[in-house]
């Protein structure tokens, strides 16, 4: 596959083929790796980035060809752990990645059922829970991220569910702890996931919810499943956006053992029922922890609903896809707020917001840097209106940093320069206490601040680092000579 033809990417394998022709974007190794903490331990140094404790860096995706205990499987990690790589895989502009994804809402393509009689990649090998000796932990090489993880975790599992009446469907990424030979613990962030809303309906009816978990997918699918309301209201299937990105529908297949759909070209699919009357602690190793979460801390184990697994289906010689919880991979998938924020602000205040960056320091969720252009005195104050709209567009957002058009929102040193020279805390810091943010931020807790009533409540803040319009002439950056870049190309590229 040519590196210029990302349109041919349709699954994980074609995406890996694409990266093999893209210098510096894929590292493959035959050295044996232990899925128990070693996969993440290695990748931390290769390319995790994000909020992972230093030393870490941006680097290539990685494929481990020799996985201890799993002779017929490989593990891929870090596929989305680079904005540059994601942009290439989606054939989009890196700088305006979120905005470009947002534009695809104008040309949605709904997922479709795979043609009758067509080969179904994800069902080349079928393991049923009724088979003698069935143990999903021996089939699925789910890694642990650290030595104190609660257990092996599926971190790139796309859950597919439907409402009880079958009228609505949705896909969401969740973490799944492999707690037994035929059971997963599924963590559902309270009140913020559409599958959680569906599950609540099933529980009210006293019924178990049929569910599938697809692993190892086209990057376009993963990049679109992080949208939330109001951009994608309840019942909006985000696979429509992936279809728009690729120009063709995502193909679905019927599961083998449950009345549910799955991604037809997935590497692994786990089928089962989310039990309405059974919960379990996701920590089966007894350390008291779950796994590293996107803010950069290893969170405490939760009591979670149980998925009773009925089957695992795979491709031949499957590739397990995984991620480190706080890595830049999460930043990429969570960075969807860029599209949601831009869409809402552009609708309400057209033409002023130039770009948005969901910064890695916030795991792609907590911090948004908004580049706002004031063209007249009448635009003064609108930048703060835009920031408040951002909180409405993405409720988990905690901090908004507003900057002018001459600031590089992807360079935190430049953003901090703007905060240092264009910001006075007594007039430019706007705090909004008592707002719900995200339960995985450990500072959102009464123990941290007695004014916080419940865990998950935060003080949202706007840092207005824009220059007042009537003072712009006093804040012009030093202007350097525009050189002939062709003449000095060799030196510039050094």
């Amino acid at each position: 596959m040519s590196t210029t033809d990302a349109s041919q990417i349709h699954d994980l394998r074609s995406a890996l083929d694409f990266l093999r022709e893209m210098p510096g974007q894929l590292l493959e190794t035959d050295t044996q790796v232990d899925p128990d903490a070693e996969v993440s331990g290695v990748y931390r140094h290769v390319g995790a980035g994000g909020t992972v404790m230093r030393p870490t860096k941006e680097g290539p995706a990685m494929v481990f060809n020799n996985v201890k205990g799993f002779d017929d499987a490989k593990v891929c990690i870090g596929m989305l752990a680079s904005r540059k790589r994601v942009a290439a895989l989606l054939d989009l502009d890196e700088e305006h990645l979120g905005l470009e994804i947002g534009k695809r809402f104008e040309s949605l393509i709904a997922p479709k059922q795979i043609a009758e009689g067509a080969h179904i990649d994800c069902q080349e090998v079928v393991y049923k829970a009724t088979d003698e000796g069935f143990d999903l932990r021996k089939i699925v090489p789910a890694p642990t991220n650290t030595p104190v993880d609660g257990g092996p975790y599926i971190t790139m599992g796309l859950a597919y569910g439907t409402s009880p009446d079958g009228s609505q469907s949705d896909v969401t990424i969740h973490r799944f702890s492999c707690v037994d030979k035929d059971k997963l613990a599924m963590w559902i962030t309270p009140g913020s996931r559409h599958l959680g809303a569906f599950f609540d309906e099933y529980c009210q009816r006293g019924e178990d919810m049929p569910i599938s978990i697809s692993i190892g997918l086209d990057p376009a699918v993963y990049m679109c499943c992080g949208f939330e309301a109001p951009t994608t209201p309840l019942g909006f299937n985000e696979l429509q956006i992936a279809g728009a990105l690729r120009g063709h529908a995502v193909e679905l297949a019927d599961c083998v053992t449950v009345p549910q759909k799955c991604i037809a070209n997935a590497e692994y699919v786990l089928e089962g029922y989310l039990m309405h009357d059974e919960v379990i602690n996701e920590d089966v190793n007894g350390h008291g922890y779950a796994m590293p979460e996107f803010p950069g801390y290893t969170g405490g184990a939760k009591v979670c609903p149980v998925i009773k697994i009925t089957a695992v289906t795979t491709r031949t010689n499957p590739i397990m896809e995984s991620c480190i919880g706080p890595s830049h991979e999460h930043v990429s998938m969570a960075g969807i707020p860029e599209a949601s924020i831009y869409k809402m602000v552009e609708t309400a205040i057209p033409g002023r917001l130039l770009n948005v960056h969901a910064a890695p320091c916030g795991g792609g969720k907590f911090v948004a840097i908004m580049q706002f252009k004031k063209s007249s005195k009448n635009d003064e104050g609108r930048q703060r209106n835009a920031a408040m709209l951002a909180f409405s567009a993405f409720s988990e957002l905690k901090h908004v940093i507003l900057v002018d058009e001459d600031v590089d929102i992807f360079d935190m040193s430049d953003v901090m320069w703007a905060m240092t020279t264009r910001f006075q805390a007594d007039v430019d810091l706007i705090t909004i206490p008592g707002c719900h943010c995200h339960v995985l931020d450990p500072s959102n807790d009464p123990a941290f601040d007695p004014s916080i009533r419940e865990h998950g409540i935060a003080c949202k803040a706007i840092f207005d680092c824009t220059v007042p319009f009537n003072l712009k002439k006093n804040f012009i950056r030093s202007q350097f000579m525009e050189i002939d870049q062709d003449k000095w190309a060799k030196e510039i590229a050094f």
Side-chain angles (χ1 to χ4, degrees):
M1 180 187 300
S2 168
T3 56
T4 59
D5 195 8
S7 64
Q8 298 303 307
I9 297 174
H10 62 281
D11 61 3
L12 175 59
R13 299 188 184 200
S14 55
L16 289 171
D17 287 342
F18 178 88
L19 292 185
R20 287 187 179 100
E21 295 189 24
M22 190 176 176
Q25 293 301 319
L26 181 63
L27 173 63
E28 300 180 82
T29 178
D30 293 327
T31 303
Q32 188 181 75
V33 69
D34 191 334
D36 188 5
E38 193 174 25
V39 169
S40 295
V42 172
Y43 193 63
R44 170 198 178 186
H45 294 279
V46 172
T51 60
V52 170
M53 184 177 176
R54 274 49 184 169
T56 188
K57 61 183 180 181
E58 180 176 322
M62 194 169 184
V63 174
F64 295 90
N65 294 321
N66 186 350
V67 183
K68 182 180 179 181
F70 298 88
D71 294 338
D72 64 343
K74 302 177 181 181
V75 171
C76 173
I77 191 168
M79 195 71 177
L80 306 175
S82 158
R83 190 180 183 97
K84 175 182 178 180
R85 184 159 58 248
V86 170
L89 287 163
L90 301 183
D91 195 23
L92 298 176
D93 174 56
E94 177 183 351
E95 186 172 312
H96 298 92
L97 182 59
L99 277 60
E100 291 295 323
I101 293 176
K103 291 178 181 177
R104 298 311 190 273
F105 278 81
E106 301 170 4
S107 54
L108 298 172
I109 300 177
K112 69 176 184 180
Q113 183 76 11
I114 194 168
E116 186 175 352
H119 177 78
I120 302 175
D121 292 341
C122 69
Q123 295 172 359
E124 291 173 344
V125 182
V126 176
Y127 306 90
K128 293 185 178 180
T130 53
D131 295 342
E132 184 177 353
F134 176 87
D135 190 335
L136 70 87
R137 298 166 298 186
K138 296 179 181 179
I139 301 168
V140 183
T144 58
N145 273 199
T146 76
V148 298
D149 277 15
Y153 274 89
I154 295 168
T155 55
M156 296 288 280
L158 183 78
Y160 193 108
T162 52
S163 58
D165 63 5
S167 65
Q168 297 177 319
S169 62
D170 196 61
V171 290
T172 320
I173 291 284
H174 293 265
R175 74 177 189 225
F176 304 91
S177 177
C178 303
V179 295
D180 205 343
K181 64 180 182 179
D182 61 351
K183 291 182 179 180
L184 300 177
M186 178 179 179
W187 167 241
I188 305 173
T189 306
S192 64
R193 296 292 181 267
H194 293 166
L195 287 191
F198 293 162
F199 182 50
D200 288 344
E201 292 184 46
Y202 278 95
C203 290
Q204 291 168 9
R205 296 161 63 122
E207 299 175 3
D208 301 326
M209 174 176 166
I211 194 169
S212 72
I213 304 163
S214 300
I215 310 166
L217 309 171
D218 177 356
V221 173
Y222 282 124
M223 283 298 297
C224 294
C225 65
F227 277 99
E228 298 179 14
T231 305
T232 55
L234 181 65
F236 183 102
N237 191 319
E238 287 80 3
L239 294 178
Q240 299 176 84
I241 314 169
L245 282 169
R246 291 300 184 208
H248 57 78
V250 175
E251 289 191 323
L252 304 176
D254 290 326
C255 291
V256 175
T257 59
V258 297
Q260 193 51 271
K261 306 291 185 184
C262 63
I263 308 299
N265 56 24
E267 295 288 329
Y268 291 86
V269 174
L270 282 71
E271 305 177 2
Y273 289 92
L274 185 57
M275 309 299 288
H276 77 280
D277 59 354
E278 185 176 357
V279 295
I280 194 169
N281 192 305
E282 61 184 327
D283 173 25
V284 294
N285 286 338
H287 299 299
Y289 295 105
M291 59 167 284
E293 295 163 340
F294 75 87
Y297 302 94
T298 297
K302 307 291 194 300
V303 175
C304 305
V306 168
I307 298 178
K308 181 74 170 178
I309 297 299
T310 55
V312 177
T313 71
T314 79
R315 298 183 71 161
T316 303
N317 302 123
I319 305 170
M320 177 68 185
E321 191 166 2
S322 186
C323 78
I324 296 178
S327 72
H328 197 99
E329 196 143 19
H330 187 282
V331 175
S332 294
M333 290 186 288
I336 293 303
E338 293 177 12
S340 299
I341 291 169
Y342 182 82
K343 186 173 184 287
M344 181 168 283
V345 174
E346 180 63 15
T347 300
I349 314 173
R352 275 81 163 184
L353 185 62
L354 302 183
N355 206 352
V356 185
H357 182 208
C361 61
K365 285 179 175 285
F366 291 165
V367 178
I369 304 165
M370 299 173 62
Q371 188 181 52
F372 193 93
K373 183 176 181 179
K374 302 174 188 175
S375 298
S376 75
K377 64 180 182 180
N378 295 318
D379 288 335
E380 193 61 62
R382 295 185 189 274
Q383 76 278 10
R384 299 184 181 189
N385 292 351
M388 289 186 283
L389 286 167
F391 291 130
S392 297
F394 192 73
S395 64
E396 296 173 353
L397 187 61
K398 183 178 182 180
H399 292 156
V400 170
I401 303 174
L402 295 162
V403 298
D404 292 295
E405 66 270 23
D406 61 348
V407 176
D408 184 350
I409 62 174
F410 299 99
D411 183 340
M412 286 305 294
S413 291
D414 213 31
V415 173
M416 290 297 101
W417 168 84
M419 183 174 288
T420 303
T421 67
R422 299 177 174 183
F423 172 87
Q424 292 295 328
D426 60 336
V427 293
D428 293 322
L429 174 62
I430 301 97
T431 59
I432 313 171
C435 299
H436 195 275
C437 188
H438 200 292
V439 296
L440 294 185
D441 180 347
S443 71
N444 296 347
D445 192 87
F448 193 90
D449 181 349
S451 72
I452 295 174
R453 294 185 176 182
E454 299 289 344
H455 182 74
I457 299 294
C459 179
K460 295 181 185 286
I462 300 168
F463 299 83
D464 188 352
C465 305
T466 62
V467 175
F469 182 78
N470 65 340
L471 296 179
K472 272 185 171 287
K473 64 180 183 300
N474 298 333
F475 288 83
I476 298 173
R477 303 186 74 161
S478 299
Q479 302 296 299
F480 293 89
M481 176 184 178
E482 291 295 334
I483 63 169
D484 182 345
Q485 295 201 20
D486 291 334
K487 173 183 176 181
W488 295 99
K490 180 180 178 181
E491 288 78 6
I492 293 172
F494 182 75

